[in-house]
């Protein structure tokens, strides 16, 4: 497996729930060798050719970052943005995420910067879905 130039790592509470959410809710492909629980370890998803998303159980995440504490659920230090081709595609992604367990924070709509909506994944990480064209 060739490493991606950029890997974004997020702390998660439950590997199986997060796996299903990112596979079913965002349609991302998981990569890697299967562990005893039947899920890839490390749990990574291909976002595009240059970016992977790695989901790390909170205990393991703390091991990696040392004394820095993981932000409590509901307190986000970043907003992840997923750009799609059109407003219809943005609506589709947000609805698919909702069906997979996302909490929609801001429904998709027109904004001064374009068409976008925001949802939280099962661990509270915020994702904005924005259309490249409005």
């Amino acid at each position: 497996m060739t490493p991606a130039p950029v890997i974004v790592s997020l702390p998660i509470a439950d590997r199986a729930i997060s796996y299903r959410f990112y596979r079913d809710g965002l349609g991302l492909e998981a990569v890697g060798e299967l562990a005893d629980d039947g899920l890839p370890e490390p749990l990574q998803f291909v976002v595009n050719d240059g970016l992977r998303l790695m989901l790390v159980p909170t205990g393991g995440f703390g091991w990696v970052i040392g004394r820095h504490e993981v932000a409590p659920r509901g307190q986000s230090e970043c907003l992840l943005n997923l750009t799609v081709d059109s407003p219809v595609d943005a609506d589709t992604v947000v609805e698919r995420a909702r069906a997979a367990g996302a909490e929609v924070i801001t429904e998709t709509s027109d904004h001064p910067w374009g068409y976008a909506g925001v949802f939280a994944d099962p661990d509270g990480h915020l994702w904005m879905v924005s259309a490249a064209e409005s």
Side-chain angles (χ1 to χ4, degrees):
M1 173 169 54
T2 304
V6 176
I7 298 174
V8 173
S9 298
L10 298 175
I12 60 169
D14 186 287
R15 284 173 42 86
I17 289 171
S18 294
Y19 172 78
R20 285 190 302 274
F21 177 79
Y22 281 95
R23 181 196 63 195
D24 300 342
L26 296 185
L28 299 179
E29 175 191 355
V31 294
E33 297 293 320
L34 298 183
D36 292 341
D37 63 2
L39 304 178
E41 178 59 39
L43 184 52
Q44 290 189 48
F45 290 89
V46 175
V47 178
N48 61 37
D49 289 339
L51 177 64
R52 289 213 179 134
L53 179 66
M54 183 184 304
L55 305 175
V56 181
T58 304
F61 200 83
W63 175 75
V64 171
I65 62 174
R67 295 184 337 205
H68 183 85
E69 292 185 30
V70 174
R73 180 177 171 80
Q75 293 184 0
S76 295
E77 296 178 345
C78 72
L79 174 64
L80 302 158
N81 191 69
L82 183 62
T83 303
V84 295
D85 291 331
S86 70
V88 170
D89 292 337
D91 291 339
T92 300
V93 170
V94 170
E95 286 310 312
R96 196 167 71 199
R98 184 193 319 261
E103 175 189 357
V104 175
I105 306 300
T106 305
E107 296 289 345
T108 50
S109 63
D110 282 310
H111 299 276
W113 64 88
Y115 191 84
V118 176
F119 64 84
D121 75 3
D123 290 286
H125 302 296
L126 296 177
W127 284 83
M128 176 183 282
V129 180
S130 59
E133 21 181 280
S134 183

